[in-house]
């Protein structure tokens, strides 16, 4: 009996190719079967869509889902993640910026139309104009609504924030939005405006969240909640120069007033010092004259008191004799007359 002939090389190659194809197919099938089995990170949440319908929400942990097309997995930010979005609806349009640049280069350029001129500007309650750069920080609180509105979320959020900013600016004056006049910051009367500026961010957050709740109640919720709003307010470039000129004039006026007050205070100080010197000098001179007058009249007062009391009847004659010598010594000549003599005394002089 003859041995079996060995298989041909082509048959062996076909067998190996079949085994390899079978192995690859098995690996692909295994990869497909486990494609939706994954670990969900803490900063994400997974929404499982079964045959086009939202089925369940999976938080951080191991996710077990059927492979596509039976189930599809959408990774969304978790409720603890805070997302940032810059509102573009309040920014000045590129056409307006280009028109402004061309008008600066060409002095004879035509003025901007109303649409371009008002692009990016908000009107305040006191007929002022302000620019606002808003950045909103939001969190996903309803993954199902977020997954449904994901493609339309940012445009809808832009419209909500723009509408809220328009209403907030219309209800405020310019000083309660930004510091347009820094010279009034230290004024006690401007403390209410400063408090309103501090409350602006909180009011924007409350108003936007209220509108989001209204959309949720109407069945069109976006699934997000605003956590914070950053506001950067500024004046239009055309008005900055005017405000700077007013501020410079106000500061110069304040400096002039301060210098005038300093000069006035120095003049008052010098006048007060001169008045004090005059008063001290007058008081010293008066005290000296009073002491001299009291010294000069002391003897006369003693004599008058003695005469009133009658304690020394001959005191007046003694004082007369003591003082008459000094008086007569100052005279050029002295003529004495006896009071008991009846002779007549002829004095020279005009009739």
């Amino acid at each position: 009996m003859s041995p079996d002939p060995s298989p041909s090389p082509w048959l062996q190659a076909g067998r190996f190719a079949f085994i390899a194809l079978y192995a690859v197919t098995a690996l692909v099938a295994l990869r497909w079967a486990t494609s939706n089995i994954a670990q969900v990170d803490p900063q994400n949440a997974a929404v499982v869509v079964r045959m086009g319908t939202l089925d369940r929400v999976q938080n951080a942990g191991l996710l077990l889902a059927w492979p596509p097309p039976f189930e599809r997995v959408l990774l969304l930010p978790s409720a603890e993640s805070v997302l940032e979005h810059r509102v573009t609806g309040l920014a000045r349009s590129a056409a307006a910026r280009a028109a402004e640049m061309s008008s600066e280069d060409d002095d004879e350029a035509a003025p901007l139309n109303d649409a371009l001129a008002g692009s990016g500007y908000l009107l305040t309650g006191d007929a002022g104009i302000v620019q606002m750069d808003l950045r909103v920080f939001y969190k996903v609180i309803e993954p199902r609504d977020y997954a449904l509105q994901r493609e339309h979320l940012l445009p809808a959020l832009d419209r909500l924030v723009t509408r809220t900013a328009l209403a907030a600016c219309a209800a405020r004056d310019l000083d309660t939005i930004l510091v347009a006049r820094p010279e009034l910051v230290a004024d006690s009367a401007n403390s209410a405006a400063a408090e309103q500026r501090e409350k602006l961010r909180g009011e924007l957050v409350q108003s936007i969240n209220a509108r989001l709740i209204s959309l949720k109640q109407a069945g069109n919720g976006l699934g997000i909640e605003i956590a914070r709003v950053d506001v950067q307010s500024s004046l239009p470039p055309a008005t900055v120069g005017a405000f700077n000129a007013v501020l410079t004039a106000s500061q110069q006026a304040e400096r002039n007033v301060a210098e005038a007050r300093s000069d006035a205070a120095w003049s008052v100080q010098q006048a007060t010092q001169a008045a004090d010197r005059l008063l001290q000098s007058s008081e010293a001179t008066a005290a000296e004259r009073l002491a001299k007058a009291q010294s000069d009249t002391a003897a006369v007062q003693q004599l008058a008191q003695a005469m009133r009391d009658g304690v020394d009847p001959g005191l007046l004659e003694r004082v007369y004799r003591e003082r008459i010598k000094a008086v007569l010594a100052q005279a050029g000549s002295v003529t004495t007359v006896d009071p008991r003599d009846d002779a007549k005394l002829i004095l020279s002089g005009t009739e």
Side-chain angles (χ1 to χ4, degrees):
M1 184 175 181
S2 63
D4 296 335
S6 60
S8 65
W10 290 104
L11 182 60
Q12 293 179 358
R15 184 180 300 173
F16 289 146
F18 177 78
I19 295 174
L21 180 61
Y22 181 81
V24 169
T25 303
L27 291 176
V28 170
L30 180 63
R31 180 68 184 88
W32 170 78
T34 60
S35 59
N36 280 341
I37 300 176
Q39 180 71 25
V40 180
D41 296 332
Q43 68 271 17
N44 293 329
V47 175
V48 180
V49 180
R50 177 177 294 179
M51 305 300 291
T53 304
L54 295 179
D55 181 66
R56 63 187 183 278
V57 177
Q58 173 71 42
N59 293 322
L62 182 62
L63 173 65
L64 299 176
W66 290 102
F70 303 105
E71 290 185 345
R72 186 164 55 92
V73 178
L74 300 177
L75 288 179
L76 307 178
S78 65
E80 290 76 18
S81 300
V82 178
L83 305 177
E84 178 183 357
H85 172 63
R86 181 176 182 270
V87 179
T88 58
L90 296 175
R92 193 153 175 80
S93 64
R97 292 195 299 268
E100 287 180 348
M101 295 179 61
S102 62
S103 62
E104 291 177 357
D105 298 336
D106 187 4
D107 296 337
E108 298 181 356
L112 301 179
N113 55 36
D114 293 341
L116 291 180
S119 173
Y121 295 150
L122 299 179
L123 188 64
T124 62
D126 57 349
I129 297 176
V130 66
Q131 286 181 310
M132 298 184 70
D133 184 7
L134 297 182
R135 294 180 181 272
V136 294
F137 297 83
Y138 61 92
K139 297 186 295 183
V140 178
I141 58 174
E142 293 291 342
R144 294 176 181 270
D145 294 340
Y146 182 85
L148 291 175
Q149 302 290 346
R150 189 172 185 179
E151 296 181 356
H152 310 286
L153 174 68
L154 295 183
L157 184 60
D158 278 351
R159 289 193 295 269
L160 283 177
V161 176
T162 301
R163 182 179 177 184
T164 305
L166 287 172
C169 288
R172 292 168 170 266
D173 56 16
L174 189 60
D175 289 329
T176 58
I177 298 176
L178 78 166
V179 184
R181 293 177 291 178
E183 70 275 7
L184 299 181
V185 172
D187 190 0
S188 59
N190 197 44
S191 59
E195 293 178 0
Q196 291 296 324
R197 285 194 295 270
E198 294 296 329
K199 294 180 180 179
L200 177 59
R201 296 179 178 85
E203 292 179 359
L204 287 175
V205 172
Q206 294 177 0
S207 299
I208 297 172
N209 284 330
R211 297 180 187 276
L212 290 174
I213 293 175
S214 299
L215 288 177
K216 175 65 177 178
Q217 294 174 351
N220 299 316
L222 300 181
I224 62 173
E225 181 184 31
I226 303 301
R228 189 176 83 249
V229 176
D230 285 351
V231 182
Q232 291 184 355
S233 304
S234 60
L235 293 171
T239 61
V240 172
F243 273 96
N244 290 338
V246 172
L247 178 60
T248 302
S250 301
Q251 293 175 348
Q252 183 63 36
E254 290 178 357
R255 283 196 297 267
N256 294 337
V257 171
E259 292 176 358
R261 288 177 179 174
S262 299
D263 295 341
W266 184 83
S267 300
V268 171
Q269 183 179 4
Q270 295 297 321
T272 303
Q273 292 177 356
D276 292 340
R277 287 195 298 269
L278 292 175
L279 181 60
Q280 293 175 0
S281 178
S282 300
E283 290 177 351
T285 303
E288 182 180 355
R289 291 182 179 179
L290 179 60
K292 186 176 183 302
Q294 291 176 352
S295 176
D296 294 343
T297 59
V300 177
Q301 291 178 356
Q302 293 175 1
L303 177 59
Q305 186 65 33
M307 291 180 66
R308 285 194 299 268
D309 297 340
V311 296
D312 192 356
L315 178 61
L316 182 59
E317 294 182 359
R318 289 198 305 273
V319 174
Y320 175 77
R321 289 193 294 270
E322 291 175 357
R323 300 292 180 90
I324 193 61
K325 183 178 179 180
V327 174
L328 296 177
Q330 297 179 0
S333 61
V334 178
T335 302
T336 61
V337 179
D338 188 359
R340 296 184 297 274
D341 189 0
D342 294 336
K344 301 298 183 180
L345 179 62
I346 301 173
L347 300 175
S348 60
T350 60
E351 293 182 0

